[in-house]
Amino acid sequence: MRILIAAAGSRGDVAPYTGLGAELCRAGYDVTLATTDTFAPLVRDAGLEFRSLPADTRVHGSGTGKRELMRTAAAFITELGQGFADVMDGGTDLLLLSTTTAPLGWHLTEATGTPSLGVYLQPTAPTGDFPPVVTGSRSLGRLANRATGRFALRMADRVYEQAVAKLRHRLQLPPASPSEMRRRQEQANWPILHGFSTALVPRPSDWRSGLEVVGNWWPPHDAAERLPTDLEDFLRAGPRPVLIGFGSMASGDGERLSKIAVQALRRAGLRGILQAGSAGLAADGNDLFTIGDIPHALLFPRLAAVVHHGGAGTSAAALRAGVPAVTVPVTADQPFWAGRLAAIGAATDPIPFRSLTAERLADSLHQVVKQQAHSRAAANAAQHLMTENGAGQALKAIQQLTDG
């Protein structure tokens, strides 16, 4: 049986699907992951077939203002929609769609009759439990949370309008707006599996049936892989260091961020590892070390704390390692995850990216490393994550769907 997973966005929006895909492969499914070209090596290393989706994710992180974000998202989606009709061949038996690709994939499902399933990394269905992920705001009370949740979906649908119109025309389907299509899916209880932990987001009781939270899908990593020797030497040379990195965020801000990072570490009296990422962080000194891409699973358990942008993947990886965090959210769903980490005590209160100073970062670092409460909360969450088997749960749901 052939499964096609379609995902798009930054590395954190794609990597979990390599873990999900690898689990499905082990169960005997033939799995292809369609995503943008940047991630072809990531997909192939996981033993999955790669198929190309046209879109440049680099425009994705270019603006942080709400309006600018909507504009770059619409450009990205329109480009993505262009190639979406070509992504599926006649041999596909099941389509798995991410948060970003679902509003396009639904039309393929309609045109071909191929069954589909949502595999989301964010909770998008409106709920009284929390405000919509994309607004990054505090809870407004149950009624207002649900209302803003519905409004956020309407705004998202607007981003897809042009892409959907073109795609439906190309698939020779009658016109239907993105919001009309969403309503149809909700009425049919279209199933969505959410690949995050109930430690961070318990399943809201006011969600419709068909929406499940199954646990994280961890990217596979080679059990024989070791940390580079010079990094291993640095880790052994003194107390546990703090990692500071912003993933695919903050490109062009490297010099300023590196300076803030070094000053904050010195003020807090801590050793530090700077992860270059898109920003290009770098520093040297006896108590400092700079790295590129290193698997989270190998490095995080060796740290005192992680300073990160609050991306879903990094947030989960730090929890899995039982390591507390200082979050500096930049945009999109990052303030949401940063807020969830703080709410369970596994992180300090978020420092918004625009308000980041060496003083604030040093204060938070001092708090997170010296006070045991954050470490205890992170360790408790790590225990909870060990009881979840996200990929196994997803496999079970897929088997029920396909056998049914």
Side-chain angles (χ1 to χ4, degrees):
M1 179 167 176
R2 297 177 58 187
I3 295 178
L4 176 68
I5 307 174
S10 67
R11 187 188 178 93
D13 298 316
V14 175
Y17 298 108
T18 62
L20 177 59
E23 178 78 12
L24 294 172
C25 275
R26 280 193 291 275
Y29 292 99
D30 181 354
V31 185
T32 300
L33 177 49
T35 186
T36 45
D37 290 342
T38 327
F39 304 114
L42 195 68
V43 173
R44 295 195 177 109
D45 286 349
L48 310 177
E49 193 185 315
F50 169 77
R51 203 166 290 165
S52 174
L53 279 180
D56 182 3
T57 41
R58 280 174 310 215
V59 300
H60 220 43
S62 60
T64 54
K66 290 260 167 26
R67 193 163 288 160
E68 205 176 335
L69 207 63
M70 291 282 281
R71 247 203 315 273
T72 56
F76 175 74
I77 295 301
T78 305
E79 200 182 337
L80 195 60
Q82 293 296 295
F84 223 81
D86 309 319
V87 75
M88 205 166 95
D89 55 25
T92 304
D93 300 304
L94 177 65
L95 193 54
L96 300 186
L97 300 165
S98 73
T99 319
T100 316
T101 59
L104 297 168
W106 292 333
H107 310 279
L108 285 186
T109 299
E110 185 185 338
T112 62
T114 308
S116 65
L117 184 76
V119 281
Y120 286 15
L121 299 176
Q122 296 84 12
T124 61
T127 171
D129 288 7
F130 46 81
V133 168
V134 289
T135 61
S137 61
R138 294 186 180 282
S139 180
L140 311 161
R142 296 195 69 83
L143 273 173
N145 283 348
R146 283 191 69 81
T148 49
R150 286 191 293 270
F151 177 72
L153 287 181
R154 281 203 298 277
M155 294 310 286
D157 289 337
R158 279 178 54 185
V159 169
Y160 285 85
E161 258 164 18
Q162 201 182 347
V164 162
K166 285 182 174 171
L167 182 60
R168 288 187 72 83
H169 178 73
R170 187 149 169 221
L171 295 168
Q172 297 177 332
L173 293 170
S177 71
S179 48
E180 193 181 323
M181 202 60 187
R182 185 183 296 282
R183 259 196 311 279
R184 271 189 227 167
Q185 300 295 12
E186 281 168 11
Q187 279 157 0
N189 275 344
W190 186 65
I192 302 174
L193 305 174
H194 294 85
F196 46 76
S197 174
T198 53
L200 278 181
V201 186
R203 182 192 184 278
S205 57
D206 58 355
W207 268 6
R208 66 168 171 83
S209 66
L211 303 176
E212 298 304 332
V213 179
V214 296
N216 291 91
W217 302 313
W218 303 108
H221 81 94
D222 182 356
E225 195 175 354
R226 296 283 173 265
L227 291 173
T229 315
D230 50 354
L231 174 55
E232 188 61 65
D233 291 344
F234 177 78
L235 287 166
R236 287 188 179 152
R240 289 181 170 226
V242 169
L243 175 79
I244 300 180
F246 296 96
S248 54
M249 292 291 119
S251 54
D253 240 347
E255 206 171 319
R256 182 179 75 86
L257 290 174
S258 301
K259 198 184 265 180
I260 288 176
V262 174
Q263 284 173 353
L265 287 163
R266 296 257 153 87
R267 285 177 84 119
L270 296 165
R271 303 194 322 137
I273 297 174
L274 270 56
Q275 186 160 31
S278 296
L281 297 188
D284 48 20
N286 290 340
D287 52 352
L288 298 165
F289 196 87
T290 304
I291 58 168
D293 248 357
I294 301 274
H296 290 156
L298 281 183
L299 179 59
F300 282 15
R302 311 280 300 274
L303 303 169
V306 184
V307 177
H308 63 80
H309 57 298
T314 317
S315 298
L319 275 192
R320 186 192 196 188
V323 176
V326 173
T327 55
V328 186
V330 184
T331 186
D333 60 344
Q334 295 158 16
F336 173 78
W337 297 111
R340 300 307 283 191
L341 285 174
I344 65 164
T348 53
D349 285 339
I351 305 173
F353 183 71
R354 292 176 188 278
S355 319
L356 182 65
T357 61
E359 291 75 23
R360 280 190 78 170
L361 184 53
D363 287 348
S364 292
L365 279 172
H366 193 272
Q367 189 186 329
V368 85
V369 176
K370 302 289 191 286
Q371 292 177 8
Q372 289 307 299
H374 296 298
S375 297
R376 273 199 300 274
N380 287 342
Q383 292 282 292
H384 182 106
L385 264 66
M386 279 177 74
T387 67
E388 294 175 326
N389 175 8
Q393 291 288 352
L395 169 63
K396 218 184 282 178
I398 287 162
Q399 283 169 334
Q400 279 168 356
L401 187 81
T402 53
D403 296 346

